[in-house]
Structure formats: structure tokens, C-alpha cells
Amino acid sequence: MSKLPGLEEVDTPAVVVDGPKLVDNVQRMAARARDAGVGLWPHSKTHKSLAVAAVQREHGIAGLTAATPREAEIFADGGVEDILIAYPPVGHRLPRIVELSKRIRLRVVLDNPDTAAALDDACRQAGTQVGYLWEVDSGAGRIGNEPGAAAASVIAPVAERTRHAVFAGVMSFAGHAYAARSPEEIGDVAEAEGRAVLDTASALADAGVEAHALSVGTTPTTHQLEREGAVTEVRPGNYVFYDATQVALGVVPIERCALSVLGTVVARPSPTRLILDAGMKALSGEVLSPKTRGFGMILGHPELFIARLYEEHAIVHSEEPLGIQVGERLRVVPNHACTCANLHDRMLVVENGLVADVWSIDARGWRTP
């Protein structure tokens, strides 16, 4: 086995993951779900890594959530037997999903009778079965029907008609929690998310249709599970790493953030401005919350502000003259760890400041089988 590099030796930019912090984050979320009596279906789109999924499985999950067939296929190849693809099985996705269902227990998400009918027919022809969760919109404005009786009136006849695609329950996604300005507002979003699936399930019950799974959960709302109501499963993803957005929202302190991007100072154009070699192709360029300051947080340097990102440059400002020199290395906690991880093909796992392992980001990108 070749010698692992030191952080001072690796090419930058590079993703660095604090191994003990990641394990601690995984353990805490598993305990949170266990104490609440809900199934934990963490979203693998955050890490796209078999090694991280192995840590999650070791500490107790009901299954994995994926966003794409590629993610689901890779995790199935890695031994995961229960997967939810939280995306409609439309277009090129449908045949891959049907094929995958022959070797694992698979569910998908949809919100349209025609999509359910196409899935049912494809499963019938292939001699297989796929469960589906019907998505209702709790305020994110992404996909999903109006919750409650309105959704139930659409779902019930479809659930009674499909046989090879089997109605498995109701889900919602509260992505608008990232626009919250306080923990109390996050709690309000969590409550509305839970109410959306519970009201829909109740209306379905009145129509004689049982929704076995009531699926909710972003990382911020899962931190307020007591506001979600009697749901049955949660799908947080970001919690394995956390990021600058979670810090800005007050979900966790920066000390809980496990992922950072190591960058090198390549220029100091003025006493109060420096340039890092970690631009939007290393950090991603998102600002998810109105409470976020800039494009990431530099560990150990709260005085620094990442004002702009170009493709390969991060423009960093300080109100006071900087003592940081060209060639020094800094670690940036990105605003969005999920899209950041997808930009890289590996993560350096550190323990006590030393590189202890290198983990592949196996499911990044869009490659076909």
C-alpha cells in the first residue's frame, strides 16, 4: 500500500473530510431517528460515496435515498438492498429503474397518474415490482400535488388501479426551509411538511387507501422532528458533512462541519485581498440561505470573507491587512457540501490532522452504465 500524502503535499483544491466528525454526525442522526421511532433513509446525493454509506449502514439505517439511477445502481452494487429514488421514473430513467428492481427492494417518487401508469406497465412487462411514494408539495414549489383531499382524489384511483407499481405512501420535500431566518421558522416549515403528508394520508384512509410510508425530511427540518408529527421516515442528507449554510441557519456550530475544501493562496493583490485556487469548480457557487455570508467559511479565520467566486479563483477580503502569505493553505467550509462533493472524485479523510484514508466519490456525474 502506497504511503498516504500529508495535507501539505496534496494538490489543491482538494476535499478534506474530518473522519471522527463525520462518524459523530452519523451516530447522532441515527440516534435522533431511533429515539423518534422513524426509519432513517439518508440521501446519498450528499456524499455519493460507498465508504460514507458504509458508515451510515454500520450505525443503523432503514435504507438509502438516491436522486439518480446511477446513484442507486452504484449503491446497489455496493450491497445496499433497500433504496428510494426520490425522483420521477421518466424518460431514460424508467428502464434502468425497472432493471434495478429485479435485484433490490426499490421505491421511486412520482406525482402524476401517467407516470404511475407507465411504471406499472413497464414493471408488468418485466415481471417485477416497484413501490412508489406520491409527492405532495408542502411549500417548496418543486414537484408534488396540493396536499390533503386534493391530492388524495388524484392518488386513490391510481393506487387502486396499479398492480405492478405498488402505492407505498406519501412524501414531501421541505427545501424552502433553507430560506428560513430562524430556528423557529425552520420548525414551522417542519410542521407544515409533516401536516402535508399526514393530511393526505388521512384523506386517503377515508377513501379506503392506506399510505404505509409517510416520508419527510431535510437536514434542517429533521433537527426538529418533534414538529413533524407522526411520520414514519426521514430523508436528511447534508447531516453527514454539514456546511456553512447549516451554520448560518443555526442548525449546528461550525465545529460540527466535517467537510472542507483545501485551497492554496495563489496571489495577494492588496493588503486586504487574497486569492485562493478554489473557485466555483471546487466549492460550487450557491447561496442557499439569506443568512449566509459570502461563499463559504474559512476555518480558523472568521475575519476573512469570500466575496466572489470565479471558475478557478476565490476572492477573499478582510477589513484589516492580512498576514497570510502566498503559498499558505486554507480550508473552506462550502455553502453547500452536497454539490461541492459532486465536483471532486475523492475525499481525503483526516484524523488528528493526518490523512488516514482516501475515499472515492463513486457516484458523481452522469455517466451511463
Side-chain angles (χ1 to χ4, degrees):
M1 179 178 177
S2 58
K3 177 179 177 292
L4 292 170
L7 284 182
E8 71 283 352
E9 301 170 13
V10 300
D11 293 340
T12 59
V15 166
V16 177
V17 170
D18 187 305
K21 286 184 181 180
L22 180 142
V23 171
D24 182 57
N25 290 339
V26 168
Q27 289 176 326
R28 291 195 195 198
M29 187 59 77
R32 182 183 297 275
R34 186 169 57 250
D35 291 346
V38 299
L40 178 58
W41 290 75
H43 212 314
S44 63
K45 69 180 175 62
T46 294
H47 54 76
K48 295 177 178 275
S49 167
L50 289 168
V52 176
V55 176
Q56 292 174 312
R57 294 171 71 193
E58 179 183 349
H59 292 283
I61 60 174
L64 275 182
T65 302
T68 69
R70 172 173 165 76
E71 289 173 7
E73 289 158 355
I74 286 174
F75 288 108
D77 290 343
V80 180
E81 297 179 339
D82 293 275
I83 296 178
L84 166 67
I85 300 179
Y87 208 89
V90 174
H92 69 88
R93 298 168 183 83
L94 180 56
R96 292 173 71 174
I97 284 167
V98 169
E99 189 63 28
L100 183 60
S101 71
K102 296 176 182 178
R103 57 192 181 102
I104 65 168
R105 290 177 291 275
L106 185 64
R107 298 179 301 166
V108 298
V109 167
L110 52 81
D111 70 346
N112 183 283
D114 291 340
T115 304
L119 177 64
D120 189 51
D121 188 56
C123 288
R124 178 188 60 77
Q125 293 185 46
T128 189
Q129 191 174 86
V130 174
Y132 63 89
L133 301 183
W134 200 286
E135 183 159 354
V136 294
D137 182 10
S138 58
R142 202 166 71 173
I143 73 170
N145 302 138
E146 179 185 347
S153 67
V154 177
I155 299 167
V158 177
E160 292 172 351
R161 193 163 55 241
T162 55
R163 291 292 179 268
H164 302 273
V166 179
F167 175 66
V170 183
M171 68 88 75
S172 191
F173 166 71
H176 54 305
Y178 286 92
R181 295 183 177 274
S182 68
E184 291 73 24
E185 286 189 16
I186 294 173
D188 291 343
V189 172
E191 185 174 321
E193 182 184 33
R195 188 166 58 248
V197 296
L198 289 164
D199 287 353
T200 305
S202 176
L204 282 168
D206 290 342
V209 176
E210 184 177 2
H212 294 281
L214 302 177
S215 180
V216 298
T218 64
T219 289
T221 56
T222 302
H223 274 257
Q224 299 209 27
L225 263 175
E226 68 280 1
R227 299 284 299 273
E228 295 275 16
V231 299
T232 67
E233 60 186 52
V234 290
R235 311 180 315 276
N238 186 271
Y239 76 94
V240 294
F241 298 139
Y242 293 113
D243 53 28
T245 299
Q246 305 294 343
V247 176
L249 289 170
V251 175
V252 291
I254 193 170
E255 290 78 17
R256 294 278 302 279
C257 294
L259 181 145
S260 61
V261 174
L262 181 69
T264 300
V265 179
V266 295
R268 259 195 55 175
S270 83
T272 59
R273 187 170 87 251
L274 61 81
I275 312 299
L276 281 176
D277 63 350
M280 67 178 64
K281 288 184 175 178
L283 290 169
S284 80
E286 295 160 288
V287 178
L288 299 176
S289 165
K291 295 174 67 65
T292 302
R293 180 176 179 264
F295 291 93
M297 305 173 73
I298 299 178
L299 291 173
H301 292 279
E303 77 279 7
L304 300 182
F305 171 68
I306 304 177
R308 284 179 293 158
L309 294 179
Y310 290 90
E311 291 183 51
E312 305 290 350
H313 302 73
I315 315 303
V316 183
H317 290 265
S318 174
E319 292 184 2
E320 301 294 331
L322 294 160
I324 300 168
Q325 302 302 314
V326 171
E328 291 191 41
R329 296 184 164 206
L330 301 173
R331 287 168 62 176
V332 181
V333 175
N335 280 350
H336 193 181
C338 310
T339 52
C340 174
N342 189 54
L343 296 171
H344 300 260
D345 59 9
R346 67 174 189 169
M347 57 186 88
L348 306 176
V349 183
V350 298
E351 295 183 17
N352 300 317
L354 301 175
V355 179
D357 208 345
V358 179
W359 291 349
S360 174
I361 302 174
D362 308 274
R364 67 185 294 267
W366 300 100
R367 290 189 297 276
T368 56

